[in-house]
Amino acid sequence: MEILVCVKRVPDTAENEIELNSAGNDIERDDLVYSVNEWDNYAVEEAIQIVDKVGGTVTVVTVGDEEADEVLRREMAMGAQNGILLNDEAFEDSDSMGIATLLKAAAEKGKYDLIMTGAQADAGYAAVGGMLAAMMDLPYASLVNMVEVGDGKLTVGREIEGGNQEVNEIELPCVLSIQTGINEPRYVGIKGIRQVSGIEIPEFDAAGLGVDPATVGAAGAKTKRVDYFIPETGEGAEMLTGSTEEIIAKLIDIMKANGGLK
Amino acid sequence: MATVYAFVAHSDGVLDDSAAELAAAAKKFTDAPVTAIVTGSGVDAAAAKAAELFPAVWKIDAAELAYPNAEVVRKALLNNLDAGAVVLMAHNTFGMDLAPGLAVKIGGAFVADVVDIEGADGDTLKVIRQEYGGVVSTHVTVDMSAGAVVTIRPGAVAAEEGAAAAGGAIEAKAAGDVSAKRKFIEIREPEAGDVDITKAEVLVSIGRGIEDQDNIELAHELAKAIGSQAEVACSRPIVDAKWMDASRQVGTSGKTVKPKVYLAMGISGSFQHMGGIKGGVIIAVNKNPNAPIFQVANVGIEADILEFIPELTEALGDL
């Protein structure tokens, strides 16, 4: 099974607090810690486990600048054999349609039986996998939390509401977006990253991909983020203040008043 | 602007709450009549309900549409939609499956998980979204000139109260070729867990802030100090890490709960998590003062739960 997994380098929300910059038009990007989009790690782990069972190779691809090389190497240290970097200034500020256009061009340079993405990334569109599938006329399943390999097809479980799982049969080749919790992504140590540091990662720009720069990046984006701002949802909580003892006393009163303590 | 459609979800003839929310969302950017689309097998009841909300309803009724398979539904929609259509649908698990590919096939724009619509300026739709799990919001513009697919977060746009019956005319449409390379097999329900958190009056619910599996014991000790009416629950990352059983997960992909008191301990407050809490007073403890949970909780405490939980447990023991 030849598998392509699409990954993204994103600010690590577990490692830093996302705040607005002083101008209020972007998030504060100085000193941000970046990592691989959490969902993508599950997708790469699933790809590696499938190849371990049925043979084949795992290739990871990302759209980004030179710094995105580090996420490709991290996933290669997990066990992906190949990396591909799609890097061109013309790709900056692509919307999800632009990203899917670039990934389609990269996917068509190989011959993949299965293409996987994370279910969503930092911007929360959950779009790229479904778009890529539609552009390539391949069947698609989103929010996949189970994969069983059959002959020329897969049995996949999709996470739906209420803890239920929707089971589908899907013909290969296909595209899946992978939900967290499907597996336990393996730990990657410094040693593993060092072992893949010398592997050459092919890089493609717009010309190399055969993509018209006007159809991607800011030029091709039909959906554009104008700014960032702090949300005003809801009234906001009544914040309890004072010493820890005072806070706990107030909290116990609130719990009693609402029937939480007997 | 081309025709605006609302793809409305239903189950056994009962319209999803999101249908009324889509009707309200559409009114925020267009005065034109909006056509609701109902797909399925035997959808007369759902179509009649949709006609109370929308001035026009299309029903696409076919045996192959009995279960909402995104590949099949997409074909049925493409068989009928006008060029340049603008399609609204809920950002639920089916919307996430259907919407991105539909946007590609109609050649339009795509914007997902919209929490509010500011309006339209010609062919430019102006919406509000959130990023990074709701920590920051963004204004987004969408070029609808070649059509668009817009998914709306369930519960984010208030449905209009007491809107007059629209009395929409129902028109039957053909599904067309609905062959598919993806076939629905079955729905599997989760195994019942050792506890039923939906029955608990108090939930001590833990999230990423618990940091380590060993620390979960702190939550159990707190629940014990509160009494037999309390149980320990959790948010998704705890289940993903296999630290707790899925039967204890609160959220749209887990259990829906309505305790008297919900103690959200080290939980950021994603909309998927909050979507599983249907009542009671929400008390949030988080060391990050900017955590989205403080926007939706009733009571907030800025503290590290690893220090706060033991102190609260001890204080309850002294009562």
Side-chain angles (χ1 to χ4, degrees), chain A:
Chain A
M1 182 97 65
E2 299 299 310
I3 307 178
L4 181 69
V5 189
C6 311
V7 302
K8 186 181 181 187
R9 179 176 181 263
V10 300
D12 186 339
T13 51
E15 292 294 324
N16 23 224
E17 288 174 15
I18 304 291
E19 291 175 339
L20 291 192
N21 66 4
S22 52
N25 57 3
D26 194 5
I27 59 169
E28 180 59 62
R29 294 188 187 269
D30 292 345
D31 305 323
L32 264 187
V33 176
Y34 284 82
S35 62
V36 185
N37 173 41
E38 183 181 4
W39 286 264
D40 301 345
N41 270 333
Y42 288 87
V44 172
E45 176 65 40
E46 195 64 21
I48 293 166
Q49 290 188 15
I50 291 170
V51 164
D52 283 349
K53 278 184 208 135
V54 302
T57 59
V58 178
T59 300
V60 284
V61 59
T62 194
V63 180
D65 57 16
E66 283 75 18
E67 292 185 275
D69 180 87
E70 74 187 24
V71 305
L72 291 175
R73 289 195 192 280
R74 190 197 175 282
E75 303 308 83
M76 289 163 76
M78 276 176 82
Q81 285 82 1
N82 312 304
I84 302 172
L85 178 61
L86 311 182
N87 180 13
D88 193 318
E89 277 182 20
F91 302 164
E92 281 177 27
D93 297 320
S94 289
D95 63 4
S96 21
M97 204 74 82
I99 297 292
T101 301
L102 295 169
L103 293 171
K104 170 182 183 269
E108 287 175 344
K109 284 190 171 290
K111 188 164 169 40
Y112 299 100
D113 306 295
L114 174 59
I115 301 173
M116 297 202 279
T117 68
Q120 65 175 63
D122 50 347
Y125 276 80
V128 168
M131 288 181 166
L132 186 55
M135 286 177 184
M136 298 181 76
D137 279 322
L138 296 176
Y140 172 64
S142 65
L143 300 165
V144 168
N145 61 3
M146 179 200 78
V147 179
E148 287 169 10
V149 180
D151 187 15
K153 63 193 177 189
L154 304 175
T155 303
V156 298
R158 292 186 63 236
E159 180 182 280
I160 57 171
E161 281 79 8
N164 293 336
Q165 186 183 53
E166 176 197 278
V167 181
N168 291 267
E169 198 174 87
I170 189 165
E171 290 179 24
L172 291 169
C174 68
V175 181
L176 307 178
S177 88
I178 302 296
Q179 178 61 292
T180 59
I182 185 173
N183 53 41
E184 290 180 64
R186 65 197 66 190
Y187 176 76
V188 175
I190 298 289
K191 192 178 158 203
I193 291 177
R194 207 178 289 138
Q195 279 171 345
V196 298
S197 64
I199 298 176
E200 194 185 336
I201 293 180
E203 201 171 314
F204 294 96
D205 59 10
L209 282 176
V211 167
D212 177 358
T215 62
V216 296
K222 290 180 174 169
T223 299
K224 292 184 171 143
R225 184 197 300 115
V226 178
D227 62 3
Y228 283 99
F229 66 99
I230 295 296
E232 292 172 27
T233 51
E235 302 279 308
E238 175 205 342
M239 298 301 290
L240 302 186
T241 54
S243 69
T244 304
E245 290 73 24
E246 288 163 350
I247 288 173
I248 285 176
K250 287 180 201 167
L251 176 56
I252 288 173
D253 284 346
I254 291 168
M255 288 178 71
K256 281 182 180 163
N258 287 280
L261 284 174
K262 288 174 178 168

Side-chain angles (χ1 to χ4, degrees), chain B residues 215-231:
Chain B
N215 294 332
I216 292 173
E217 187 55 29
L218 299 176
H220 284 288
E221 284 167 13
L222 173 56
K224 203 171 153 193
I226 292 168
S228 60
Q229 71 277 28
E231 286 290 356

